[in-house]
Amino acid sequence: MADEPTRPGRYDYRPWEFWSAATEEERAEQLDHQRRLAAGGGEVELAERVFVSPWAGVSTDRLRMGERSYIGAHAVVADDVTMGRDCTLNPYSTARGRIRLGDGVRVGAHTSLLGFNHSFAPDRPVHRQPLTSAGIVIGDDVWIGSHVVVVDGVTIGDHCVIGAGAVVTKDLPPWSVAAGNPARRLRDRRDAPASAPPRSADALDVRLERFAVRAREQAPDLLARCRDGDGWTDRPGADRTVRAVCDAVEISDLLLGAPPPGSDGAELAERLRSLQDPDTGLVPEYGAGPPSLADDTAMYHILSVGYALDLLGSRFAHPVRAVQDLAPTDLVDRLDGLPWRTGAWRSGHWVDGVGTAVLRDLDGFGLRAPAAEALFGWLLSRADPGHGLWGAPGAGDRWRQPVNGFYRASRGTFAQFGLPLPYPERTVDTVLAHSRDRAFFGPDRGDACDVLDVIHPLWLCARQTGHRIAEGRDWARGQLERLLGRWQDGAGFSFALEPGGRAPHVPGLQGTEMWLAIAWLLADHLGVAEALGYRPRGVHRPDPARHGLG
């Protein structure tokens, strides 16, 4: 038998292709793996032509799999799981507790079927509470999208479809189409047209699926390309930077669901934690002097290092004292002194760092910054009711600075804390006007910052208003079409997207991390993000990190 693979392969991520395309040697290896599972303890019944990725975490008292059922890479399958015929637990999914799947059940990537629960009576700590398990029952012909959570005790009837990101807390009758948190029944699936045309190979969602598979397959190589000892560079030949480490963590989490290959997550987290200055709580660049609130790089590291630590299961070692110690009057003076009319991007960058520091101190240390309310009060009172942004257009770059600054300022505040924007319709008008500026956008132009700074406000405003949404979707489709043709094999995306000799045109970690997140935002604005099979969880996460300041 050949040596065990050093990383997941194609069939681990697309297990349904295995029995039609695998070599005899690969089939023999899979059958050996199944025999080892059956001999490892517990009750294991595997029908013909099933596939269980060696990279899945299978630890069951009882596992039953019907014919042509599959478990993908990095899935977690534990306790008592029964799968009927033609079922798939896609990569990174979880099935724990007492789980019963009928025939023809598809469970999307990153979805959790949690057939158990803790009691949480106040008489003892949660970790000492008894476990309960009513179990989860899922009928025949059910499609559960990516990033869904199904909680213990739920029954999902035959022929249901559950939209991506739903949290299913109650039973759903047969033929339900459901979505949301908590999930609610939207309609009867039989109300859809009796027959839908087959998907074309050129359909956008099909091409997104192909792109995501390609990116996952090449993720280990593009990360290794920028590896420099125990650190990373943005691209080969560049200097090692703290951001490059964080970008590597984000890319690996997004595409592989794990720390970068060859890295120990806990060790990497400790190295990042050790970079924090204990006095200010800021993280300087390698070799730089003491950080301060005037240090643009240190301000961005509040975002990049903080979220990288989240993804590694850790957090900052110290509060961000530089923000925690700001009095409300001092913060307002600093905000008033920022160059909003001439440098709105840099001003928004500073607000983004401050807002994220408020979040880190609240969530990590239970410390509420005295100036937190002053920050949001200033932003609400200074937003221009005519165009929705902060700052003003310039003679040279017109709306570019205010739009870019709006993205940064709103990302670290309203978006990150799940709060409504002050003037969403006027913001959409202004951002769409900027998106038509041919100096910055076109078939061969629009770097990662410029495109992100348009799509995120459009996507965020669409959570509050449908104002001119069709125009925003047309723009998003054009950018997504452009993006899909710019991936460079084994290297990823360049920041500028178009290839060339200068640094922004060379593929690297920053460009790859940003464009992967941008691809999700563009696709989600068009309603096809599920085809990518991933959802950003770091700096560019779409979900609020916290709801409000309470």
Side-chain angles (χ1 to χ4, degrees), residues 148-437:
V148 171
V149 175
V150 182
V151 304
D152 190 34
V154 164
T155 295
I156 296 175
D158 296 344
H159 314 297
C160 287
V161 174
I162 313 299
V167 178
V168 186
T169 61
K170 296 181 179 178
D171 292 354
L172 289 169
W175 297 103
S176 296
V177 177
N181 180 5
R184 62 186 182 89
R185 191 171 188 267
L186 303 179
R187 61 180 174 84
D188 190 298
R189 181 178 162 195
R190 291 167 293 188
D191 293 340
S195 62
R199 294 196 305 166
S200 163
D202 294 327
L204 182 57
D205 60 338
V206 174
R207 287 184 289 134
L208 286 171
E209 288 176 3
R210 290 201 302 264
F211 159 73
V213 169
R214 186 178 174 193
R216 287 188 189 93
E217 290 174 344
Q218 297 180 19
D221 291 336
L222 72 87
L223 289 165
R225 171 178 176 265
C226 299
R227 190 74 182 253
D228 182 14
D230 61 354
W232 278 267
T233 64
D234 177 62
R235 58 195 181 281
D239 293 336
R240 289 173 50 160
T241 62
V242 174
R243 175 167 182 167
V245 178
C246 301
D247 286 338
V249 171
E250 294 230 18
I251 293 167
S252 192
D253 180 82
L254 200 64
L255 297 179
L256 303 176
S263 301
D264 179 272
E267 180 183 326
L268 184 54
E270 281 307 307
R271 288 209 305 271
L272 286 172
R273 280 164 55 88
S274 71
L275 299 176
Q276 193 182 21
D277 174 51
D279 294 328
T280 62
L282 301 172
V283 178
E285 186 56 89
Y286 294 134
S292 72
L293 292 177
D295 182 338
D296 287 345
T297 301
M299 293 299 284
Y300 190 77
H301 287 166
I302 301 174
L303 283 63
S304 59
V305 176
Y307 275 109
L309 288 171
D310 281 351
L311 298 178
L312 294 169
S314 187
R315 67 179 192 183
F316 277 133
H318 311 283
V320 185
R321 288 289 180 195
V323 172
Q324 188 64 215
D325 293 343
L326 274 177
T329 53
D330 292 336
L331 176 66
V332 169
D333 288 344
R334 284 177 177 264
L335 291 168
D336 286 339
L338 291 171
W340 290 101
R341 299 192 66 82
T342 58
W345 179 87
R346 186 171 183 275
S347 303
H349 170 90
W350 193 84
V351 170
D352 197 357
V354 170
T356 306
V358 170
L359 172 75
R360 292 293 158 202
D361 287 353
L362 270 170
D363 284 355
F365 303 94
L367 298 174
R368 184 166 179 166
E373 284 85 358
L375 172 64
F376 282 90
W378 190 96
L379 292 169
L380 287 167
S381 64
R382 300 303 202 281
D384 190 304
H387 56 64
L389 315 185
W390 302 280
D397 55 7
R398 296 170 291 283
W399 283 108
R400 187 189 198 193
Q401 283 277 339
V403 169
N404 292 13
F406 177 88
Y407 159 67
R408 291 300 306 274
S410 63
R411 192 220 71 88
T413 54
F414 297 98
Q416 196 163 228
F417 285 86
L419 297 172
L421 295 163
Y423 303 109
E425 289 85 4
R426 301 292 74 76
T427 298
V428 169
D429 291 339
T430 307
V431 172
L432 284 175
H434 173 58
S435 75
R436 294 191 294 268
D437 193 328

Side-chain angles (χ1 to χ4, degrees), residues 85-111:
R85 298 185 300 274
D86 300 298
C87 292
T88 303
L89 290 173
N90 270 291
Y92 310 106
S93 59
T94 296
R96 293 182 58 195
R98 189 167 65 83
I99 308 295
R100 300 289 180 264
L101 306 184
D103 296 333
V105 177
R106 291 290 190 264
V107 177
H110 301 279
T111 281

